[in-house]
Amino acid sequence: MSRLWVDENPDIPDPEKELQRLKTGEGYDTVIHYKNQEFKVHNKVLCMRSFWFYRNLREGKVRELIIDDPHAQCIKDVLFYLYSGKLEPEPFLSDASAYVDCIKIWEAANYFELDLMKRECENRLTKLLREEAVRCQQAIPSEKQMVGFISGVKYVYEREIKPLKQKFLDFVADTFYWAIPEMTSLNVYTTVPNYFADIFREVPDDWKDKLGLSKPTQDDKRKEPTFIPPTCCECGKDPFKMDSHYAKLGRVCGYNIGICFHCWLSSGSPTQTIFP
């Protein structure tokens, strides 16, 4: 059998029933071992939905499979995906660990050659970064949230995962470097020095002396970068008062300008990276 007959994204009529079979091991015919974990699975399900499993289970001839590669540490999430056609939601519920969990699952999908699952992980990471970007624009990222973000950066850089490294660089560019003061206060320079080296290669010279400037807002003691545009240059409204955010940023004649998300959607010409 070739890759032609493997469907990574099958139409699973009853995913809950399939997951129940995985959970209980009902009717299993194959056992997978990963370190101290054991999974009772169904050979046909894996072979029909993953070419990696088809190749390693030899089209149903192997009934016991031992996996010890560290990149496969999220095999439980891989099996959940193969049986249900979707990512397990639980790993993404914690701000503190969501980034690293997402990257580890991406690594497992990459190890098992599941391109669609990798794409789902990349989309989930983009969503996490988008939410963080809006918090940074509103000057309300908490230390807990930023610690989770920084853990993700550190993990990606330690493992040299180039496709995901670029997403974290896009995040800083797409927030027009507003996140840098927050990261600086958490000593990210020393934690992930290569990340900041990459960032500063892209920072315009006339911004480098501004990135540490901040002032307290009038309503509370949160920090707000002094270079946030006060209103959208298209509609003239404060996007944060409309439960929105800036989607396009720039400098014109020495002034910092931004276009809010609503006007950006109306323009029909999206140019930013992490916004939909």
Side-chain angles (χ1 to χ4, degrees):
M1 187 171 78
S2 71
R3 288 182 181 272
L4 179 66
W5 306 111
V6 175
D7 188 357
E8 282 188 33
N9 190 28
D11 181 17
I12 301 174
D14 193 348
E16 294 303 322
K17 183 178 180 180
E18 290 283 276
L19 288 172
Q20 187 64 21
R21 290 177 66 208
L22 174 63
K23 182 178 179 180
T24 62
E26 178 187 353
Y28 79 96
D29 53 12
T30 304
V31 178
I32 295 176
H33 300 276
Y34 181 77
K35 295 186 177 179
N36 62 343
Q37 300 178 75
E38 180 181 278
F39 304 95
K40 296 177 179 179
V41 297
H42 306 84
N43 205 296
K44 184 177 180 181
V45 171
L46 301 187
C47 288
M48 292 300 294
R49 297 175 188 172
S50 163
F51 193 75
W52 188 96
F53 278 109
Y54 170 79
R55 188 172 65 243
N56 286 274
L57 293 174
R58 300 177 196 169
E59 200 172 359
K61 295 177 181 177
V62 173
R63 298 302 180 185
E64 193 165 10
L65 184 63
I66 298 174
I67 303 171
D68 57 9
D69 193 295
H71 292 97
Q73 62 182 302
C74 291
I75 185 173
K76 182 178 178 182
D77 296 276
V78 168
L79 294 175
F80 185 99
Y81 181 84
L82 291 175
Y83 274 77
S84 69
K86 58 186 179 183
L87 293 177
E88 162 72 83
E90 186 174 339
F92 306 101
L93 299 179
S94 168
D95 284 328
S97 62
Y99 291 95
V100 171
D101 288 343
C102 186
I103 297 162
K104 287 180 178 179
I105 295 170
W106 184 94
E107 281 188 308
N110 188 55
Y111 176 81
F112 289 106
E113 303 171 16
L114 296 168
D115 291 338
L116 290 178
M117 186 179 180
K118 279 171 58 180
R119 200 173 309 151
E120 290 248 15
C121 290
E122 290 169 11
N123 290 340
R124 191 64 64 91
L125 180 59
T126 296
K127 183 175 183 293
L128 290 169
L129 289 169
R130 183 184 306 129
E131 292 169 352
E132 193 67 49
V134 174
R135 286 195 287 262
C136 286
Q137 287 188 13
Q138 295 174 316
I140 58 173
S142 70
E143 183 170 325
K144 179 181 177 182
Q145 291 159 343
M146 286 305 294
V147 166
F149 170 87
I150 292 162
S151 296
V153 173
K154 185 177 179 181
Y155 192 90
V156 162
Y157 268 77
E158 285 176 347
R159 294 184 176 247
E160 283 294 320
I161 307 175
K162 291 184 178 179
L164 304 188
K165 280 172 65 174
Q166 189 57 50
K167 284 189 176 290
F168 283 97
L169 290 171
D170 289 340
F171 161 81
V172 179
D174 284 349
T175 56
F176 217 52
Y177 318 111
W178 297 347
I180 290 179
E182 188 74 23
M183 289 190 282
T184 303
S185 69
L186 296 174
N187 298 318
V188 187
Y189 285 112
T190 55
T191 306
V192 198
N194 291 341
Y195 179 53
F196 267 85
D198 289 343
I199 288 172
F200 276 97
R201 289 191 190 99
E202 303 178 13
V203 175
D205 289 337
D206 61 341
W207 277 81
K208 288 181 179 178
D209 62 344
K210 299 185 177 196
L211 293 175
L213 298 177
S214 61
K215 65 180 181 181
T217 59
Q218 294 180 353
D219 59 329
D220 58 30
K221 295 182 179 180
R222 294 177 303 179
K223 296 293 183 180
E224 181 180 50
T226 59
F227 39 86
I228 293 180
T231 59
C232 169
C233 65
E234 293 285 334
C235 65
K237 298 177 180 178
D238 182 343
F240 303 131
K241 291 182 179 179
M242 300 187 294
D243 194 27
S244 183
H245 52 79
Y246 286 108
K248 189 174 181 181
L249 304 156
R251 274 173 76 78
V252 176
C253 299
Y255 291 95
N256 309 318
I257 65 169
I259 298 176
C260 75
F261 184 60
H262 297 300
C263 292
W264 177 74
L265 283 180
S266 301
S267 69
S269 57
T271 57
Q272 297 302 90
T273 310
I274 65 170
F275 292 98

